[in-house]
Amino acid sequence: MRIFFLFFLSFIFMTTQAQNNLNRGYKVKVGDQAPEIDLKLLDGQIINNENIKGKVVVFQFTASWCSVCIKEMPHLEKEVWQRFKDDDFLLIGVDLMEDLEVVKEFIINTEVTYPFTIDKDGSFFESFTLTKAGVTRNIVVDQTGKISFLTRLYDEKEFAQMIEHIYQLLK
């Protein structure tokens, strides 16, 4: 009986891990309507579900302590923001639960120019992700408000696919 119980626990653990790997920490999926968006950018601009309709929006979840985020941000600046910023496109850096002064210094140090907001309590992040999910993520929302692409970590191949996906949405 004890062996059966241990086998059962192992099965549950492996199933949970496999599911986490499958969804990569997201509780949303491509094709879902984006959760409620109610953000105030550092420049005071309000971003919500209504005023992003008709635009392609990328939410880049980041933090100053995240080395993978720091590695990805110059690529986001050059290959995404600078390329598409004059189209119906927004790239919004969403800093996870850090103080304003830390975020301002982070933006200066990474030399990015795209708009930023601070997710003070992590609730916006958790509207897309499972509890305790890792922070390096890009979420592409299409012109109709649906999630159309999800990334996790910085993978050059996936990043290139995201850029092509954004390009196709904006054509």
Side-chain angles (χ1 to χ4, degrees):
M1 187 65 152
R2 180 183 257 187
I3 290 174
F4 176 75
F5 180 72
L6 289 174
F7 176 76
F8 179 73
L9 284 179
S10 295
F11 176 77
I12 296 294
F13 177 76
M14 289 187 308
T15 303
T16 302
Q17 287 301 105
Q19 182 62 34
N20 255 352
N21 288 338
L22 206 63
N23 64 26
R24 301 179 348 161
Y26 282 106
K27 63 181 171 189
V28 297
K29 62 187 180 312
V30 169
D32 287 354
Q33 197 66 34
E36 182 181 348
I37 299 166
D38 184 20
L39 303 172
K40 184 176 182 180
L41 301 181
L42 297 184
D43 69 4
Q45 182 181 358
I46 301 298
I47 301 294
N48 58 41
N49 299 76
E50 280 305 306
N51 66 17
I52 65 168
K53 281 189 180 167
K55 296 182 189 289
V56 174
V57 181
V58 175
F59 295 103
Q60 178 237 349
F61 289 97
T62 190
S64 67
W65 45 263
C66 172
S67 62
V68 177
C69 301
I70 293 167
K71 178 181 176 183
E72 179 185 57
M73 288 171 76
H75 299 283
L76 284 164
E77 173 69 25
K78 182 180 178 188
E79 299 167 47
V80 179
W81 180 240
Q82 293 303 321
R83 179 174 177 187
F84 300 118
K85 71 179 183 179
D86 295 326
D87 297 323
D88 284 329
F89 175 79
L90 273 173
L91 168 58
I92 299 172
V94 182
D95 188 273
L96 191 58
M97 300 187 292
E98 294 187 292
D99 293 330
L100 178 59
E101 290 309 312
V102 171
V103 175
K104 284 181 177 180
E105 186 175 334
F106 179 44
I107 292 167
I108 290 167
N109 290 340
T110 55
E111 299 179 340
V112 296
T113 62
Y114 49 88
F116 255 79
T117 188
I118 301 172
D119 186 7
K120 293 182 191 298
D121 62 1
S123 61
F124 184 60
F125 180 68
E126 288 186 0
S127 68
F128 293 96
T129 63
L130 298 170
T131 305
K132 298 189 181 191
V135 72
T136 310
R137 296 173 185 277
N138 296 299
I139 298 168
V140 180
V141 176
D142 72 14
Q143 295 93 328
T144 67
K146 290 188 178 178
I147 296 167
S148 63
F149 203 89
L150 300 166
T151 72
R152 173 71 182 114
L153 298 173
Y154 174 67
D155 173 77
E156 289 180 19
K157 183 178 176 185
E158 183 178 58
F159 192 83
Q161 290 170 342
M162 179 183 74
I163 292 170
E164 178 61 24
H165 181 77
I166 294 166
Y167 172 74
Q168 291 299 322
L169 287 172
L170 291 169
K171 268 174 71 172

